[in-house]
Amino acid sequence: MSSGILYGLSAYVLWGLFPLFFKQLQAAAATEVVLHRMVWSLVFVLIVLAALRRFAWLADVRRNPALLGKFAVSAVLLAANWLTYIWAVNNGHVLDASLGYFILPLVNVALGFVFLHERPRKAQWVAFALAASGVLWMALQTGRMPWIALLLALSFGFYGLMRKVAVLGALEGMSLETMLLAPLALAALLWGNHTGQWPAHDSHTWLFFVLSGPVTAIPLLLFAAGARRVPLSTMGFLQYITPSILALMGVFLYGETFDGPRAVGFVLIWVALALYSAEGLWAGRRAAAAKATEPRAA
């Protein structure tokens, strides 16, 4: 249990610190950064697969075109999420990125209801309504929808939905997604270099391009290790570490404004998350207590 919490905590803290890494790549366009991230992520996961001698699952994938199709969709959603996030970080929208990942758990509730026929409890619906009110408030007061936050939440929410119905382990799933994305990314990089679309970069930028592979994969592997060792409710609480770090960095490190409509919208969403988390904890304890009092078979 304690090691699982440490794995999960490490993953969420690393995800929260991502702006420090991707700010080092401001010399490159967000599209180019994403293309490099695809290629170098594949290089890294292939090294890990080789070290673990874990390639047998590829035979099952080849015999299952439907699974391959689902992972093609999840790969596109993942690429869209990466592109939106990197553009947001490198264009002064770290707070919007934070908002997106605060909204994400409630987006997951809505997607589960629509696509998986899950039935949220009353308090979860109230939390969802509060969060929606926060988003609507910001849209009305600022004159624009928080598109970056919504794109991040929806792209990663649908990505999670696809990963739920297209089951593979964390390492195998990421490996398959990068196997589908990396050839196209490499072709785009080569074409861009040939036509001069991508500028020449110094050694500092190239170092961070290469490091984007392990930086992408390591938190995911830590998350998977943590999720296997601790209850889902515990991981649910830990997930708020990432957007909290992003919000603090956006305000105190990058000087983004946090007042007026944005502050009110954030407060509504934080209240929604507090209600959602408290209700989940209460429901989990009730279920555990009910199970403990069930008569056992002789």
Side-chain angles (χ1 to χ4, degrees), residues 111-133:
L111 293 178
F113 173 75
V114 173
F115 294 100
L116 302 178
H117 309 294
E118 297 174 354
R119 291 295 175 263
R121 295 179 291 272
K122 289 182 180 179
Q124 291 178 317
W125 278 122
V126 173
F128 183 82
L130 277 172
S133 299

Side-chain angles (χ1 to χ4, degrees), residues 104-158:
L104 177 60
L106 302 171
V107 168
N108 289 336
V109 172
L111 293 178
F113 173 75
V114 173
F115 294 100
L116 302 178
H117 309 294
E118 297 174 354
R119 291 295 175 263
R121 295 179 291 272
K122 289 182 180 179
Q124 291 178 317
W125 278 122
V126 173
F128 183 82
L130 277 172
S133 299
V135 173
L136 183 60
W137 168 266
M138 284 188 282
L140 293 174
Q141 296 299 313
T142 62
R144 62 179 181 85
M145 289 293 288
W147 291 113
I148 294 171
L150 291 175
L151 280 172
L152 285 171
L154 289 171
S155 61
F156 205 77
F158 275 102

Side-chain angles (χ1 to χ4, degrees), residues 248-269:
L248 291 171
M249 291 175 66
V251 174
F252 295 108
L253 187 59
Y254 299 122
E256 296 184 25
T257 56
F258 187 70
D259 53 13
R262 174 178 271 178
V264 173
F266 263 78
V267 168
L268 284 170
I269 290 165

Side-chain angles (χ1 to χ4, degrees), residues 165-184:
V165 300
V167 180
L168 271 181
L171 176 60
E172 291 82 358
M174 184 180 180
S175 300
L176 182 55
E177 286 161 353
T178 52
M179 286 175 186
L180 293 169
L181 292 170
L184 298 174

Side-chain angles (χ1 to χ4, degrees), residues 3 17 20 26 32 39 55-56 66 73 97 112 117 126 128 130 135 139 166 232 245 257 274 277 288 296-297:
S3 65
L17 296 175
L20 296 175
Q26 285 184 298
E32 186 182 8
V39 172
F55 287 102
V73 174
H117 309 294
V126 173
F128 183 82
L130 277 172
V135 173
L232 189 60
I245 293 174
T257 56
S277 300
R296 297 183 180 179

